[in-house]
Amino acid sequence: MNNFVNELQTREFIYQSTNLVDLKKSIESNKIKAYVGFDCTAKSLHVGNLIQIMMLRWLQKFGHQPIILLGGGTTKIGDPSGKDEARKVLGFSDIEENKNSIKKVFAKFLNFNSENKAIVLDNDEWLKDINYIDFLRDFGKYFSINRMINFESVKLRLDREQSLSFLEFNYMLLQAFDFYHLYNKEQCVLQMGGSDQWGNIVNGVELIRKKLGKEVYGLTSPLLTTSSGAKMGKTASGAVWLNEELLSPYEYWQFWRNTEDADVIKFLKLFTELPLKYIDELSKLSGKEINDAKIILADEATKLCHGIEAANSAKSTSKQTFEANNIDNNLPKYEVSSIEIKNGMALFKLLISCNLAASNSAARKLIQGNGVRINNNVVNDINYIIKIKDFNNSNLKLSVGKKKHMLIKLTT
């Protein structure tokens, strides 16, 4: 009988688990609640968080209830897991603003109106009122320092002789307490997260077992890197955000379209809901045909995050840009004032300003190498000055290579 865990296994979501056999048996006859925690360190989650969101989506599709735990409390401390150094401590107002912003993305992936509707909770609700002396007395004895310093996330920091503050060390205890609280109040029996969260998850599982004598479960997903070794969700221009205010649907679609050949099938399994039999057929594509699979990946991933209309628009924009060489108004935009252009703006400076080049030398190298186009025409003069005549109806299309395009808009 197929179930939630089997689906995750087949699609290669699962990296580690505490007791997979018993979890499978438990969910065959019971509807469960499971949670993933998301700290509020930015105004949007990014593609690196998407694998956990998809796990919650599959959980709900199989009839179980997902809990989204926002780390309004734990963000005040900072999670050391997978980090080389202490995370910047944010102000409370920044955390609140981030929290409200990232809530919006979950409505795209999860159902908040069904019988097993998704629940959003904030651990600040119970962590802010903890009495430290009472907490140490009631829970401190269940945590072994010897065991905690041997978890990979802590061990890496210590082995590199990098500072690990007592503030950060407390994060493990608080995340374990979150699981304990959710078990008591919500009957939540499963925590999921990335593999960097393994130590935190195990602490929660063991706390509930030791203090309450109850069995709960933990699952982690692999921390994804692309075939070239790059961290999933990171590009040269920054994070691939899920909120469209920070990254347009076109740029999101383009990110997936530019997937490396070796990653396409893996990403189709993880980030779309296409049937595995169909994905297996796509895996047989080779050569230039693999681009068809990349377009399917971009379409399906963008539909989930931004809706079918945005996906279709992004695909149309891409086709116009790459095949018809037209200027499409859905391209990423950068505004320059008519006064700046009237006085003349160096092309290499504009490339840097709109993040198509990282430095003066990089911009000049791109220009000299015939890698820069204005309105589809190659410009290889490193001293080229952009003027009003380069604009068509206040628009100029600036391109770097075959895949990076920016619509430069003239403002008064």
Side-chain angles (χ1 to χ4, degrees):
M1 173 180 162
N2 194 25
N3 61 33
F4 160 67
V5 175
N6 289 336
E7 188 73 32
L8 291 194
Q9 281 184 303
T10 309
R11 288 182 177 266
E12 301 175 15
F13 276 92
I14 298 177
Y15 180 68
Q16 296 155 301
S17 62
T18 54
N19 193 336
L20 204 59
V21 174
D22 282 1
L23 175 60
K24 281 185 178 182
K25 289 178 182 177
S26 176
I27 64 177
E28 281 178 0
S29 55
N30 300 294
K31 299 299 181 184
I32 67 164
K33 291 181 182 180
Y35 89 96
V36 177
F38 300 92
D39 275 348
C40 311
T41 55
K43 288 184 172 60
S44 171
L45 299 176
H46 53 75
V47 166
N49 304 114
L50 190 53
I51 190 168
Q52 279 79 50
I53 298 174
M54 290 300 294
M55 290 169 83
L56 289 173
R57 184 176 170 90
W58 280 111
L59 177 91
Q60 189 173 47
K61 284 174 73 72
F62 277 90
H64 306 289
Q65 191 163 25
I67 297 175
I68 300 149
L69 181 63
L70 299 178
T74 42
T75 307
K76 295 174 182 177
I77 292 177
D79 181 6
S81 304
K83 308 293 189 303
D84 289 334
E85 56 186 17
R87 194 163 64 187
K88 179 184 176 183
V89 177
L90 298 176
F92 290 2
S93 60
D94 292 328
I95 293 172
E96 195 65 26
E97 186 178 347
N98 292 345
K99 188 194 311 177
N100 292 329
S101 182
I102 67 175
K103 280 180 183 178
K104 296 183 287 187
V105 77
F106 295 107
K108 302 173 181 179
F109 292 92
L110 300 171
N111 192 323
F112 286 83
N113 298 307
S114 60
E115 185 179 346
N116 60 329
K117 64 183 180 182
I119 303 169
V120 178
L121 299 174
D122 179 0
N123 63 15
D124 195 47
E125 293 175 15
W126 53 86
L127 294 181
K128 66 182 178 182
D129 295 324
I130 284 180
N131 180 295
Y132 193 57
I133 296 298
D134 290 343
F135 180 76
L136 288 179
R137 185 190 62 203
D138 294 339
F139 295 95
K141 63 184 177 182
Y142 297 110
F143 296 93
S144 164
I145 292 292
N146 308 64
R147 181 151 167 74
M148 290 167 74
I149 63 175
N150 281 301
F151 282 125
E152 194 68 17
S153 59
V154 175
K155 196 169 182 294
L156 282 174
R157 289 274 287 275
L158 297 178
D159 288 347
R160 294 171 186 164
E161 297 184 358
Q162 292 165 330
S163 175
L164 180 68
S165 71
F166 182 70
L167 181 73
E168 295 173 283
F169 207 72
N170 271 265
Y171 187 97
M172 292 189 189
L173 278 66
L174 295 181
Q175 186 167 328
F177 183 76
D178 282 344
F179 200 174
Y180 171 84
H181 177 89
L182 291 174
Y183 177 80
N184 274 336
K185 300 296 182 181
E186 299 288 343
Q187 297 76 53
C188 177
V189 297
L190 172 64
Q191 181 183 359
M192 301 183 292
S195 59
D196 60 330
Q197 295 298 311
W198 178 245
N200 296 331
I201 291 172
V202 168
N203 273 329
V205 170
E206 292 185 348
L207 173 62
I208 292 167
R209 182 189 298 129
K210 291 173 181 176
K211 189 165 178 64
L212 302 176
K214 301 295 182 180
E215 184 74 18
V216 294
Y217 310 96
L219 284 180
T220 66
S221 61
L223 283 185
L224 288 184
T225 57
T226 64
S227 294
S228 63
K231 191 173 182 180
M232 178 64 182
K234 298 287 185 181
T235 67
S237 57
V240 181
W241 302 109
L242 302 183
N243 283 37
E244 61 187 64
E245 305 87 54
L246 297 181
L247 189 80
S248 72
Y250 169 78
E251 292 170 287
Y252 188 79
W253 188 95
Q254 205 60 48
F255 166 77
W256 295 106
R257 171 62 182 82
N258 293 335
T259 294
E260 296 174 28
D261 292 1
D263 293 324
V264 176
I265 299 306
K266 175 172 68 175
F267 290 175
L268 281 166
K269 289 179 181 178
L270 293 172
F271 301 115
T272 80
E273 293 176 331
L274 293 174
L276 289 167
K277 188 175 180 180
Y278 179 55
I279 295 174
D280 186 54
E281 289 298 314
L282 292 175
S283 71
K284 298 171 185 175
L285 298 176
S286 60
K288 290 186 177 181
E289 289 181 332
I290 197 71
N291 287 325
D292 296 336
K294 292 182 183 182
I295 290 171
I296 291 169
L297 169 63
D299 285 347
E300 295 299 318
T302 306
K303 283 177 190 175
L304 285 174
C305 189
H306 296 294
I308 189 167
E309 287 186 13
N312 290 340
S313 176
K315 185 177 183 178
S316 174
T317 297
S318 180
K319 189 172 183 179
Q320 289 286 321
T321 302
F322 295 106
E323 295 179 15
N325 285 329
N326 292 330
I327 295 178
D328 192 294
N329 202 47
N330 288 320
L331 287 173
K333 298 174 181 63
Y334 182 79
E335 294 183 346
V336 294
S337 73
S338 56
I339 295 173
E340 286 181 282
I341 299 302
K342 189 175 181 180
N343 294 330
M345 175 181 281
L347 173 58
F348 75 87
K349 288 188 176 179
L350 179 58
L351 287 168
I352 297 166
S353 297
C354 63
N355 292 321
L356 289 177
S359 65
N360 288 348
S361 59
R364 288 190 173 103
K365 188 175 179 180
L366 284 168
I367 296 168
Q368 285 179 314
N370 295 326
V372 177
R373 299 188 307 283
I374 293 176
N375 298 330
N376 304 315
N377 297 312
V378 173
V379 177
N380 54 20
D381 178 3
I382 61 171
N383 297 312
Y384 188 88
I385 301 297
I386 295 174
K387 297 180 180 177
I388 296 290
K389 65 179 177 61
D390 292 309
F391 287 80
N392 180 18
N393 294 326
S394 297
N395 292 321
L396 178 152
K397 183 173 136 185
L398 186 59
S399 306
V400 170
K402 294 181 179 179
K403 297 178 180 179
K404 293 182 180 179
H405 304 272
M406 188 72 65
L407 185 61
I408 310 300
K409 297 187 74 68
L410 205 57
T411 62
T412 53

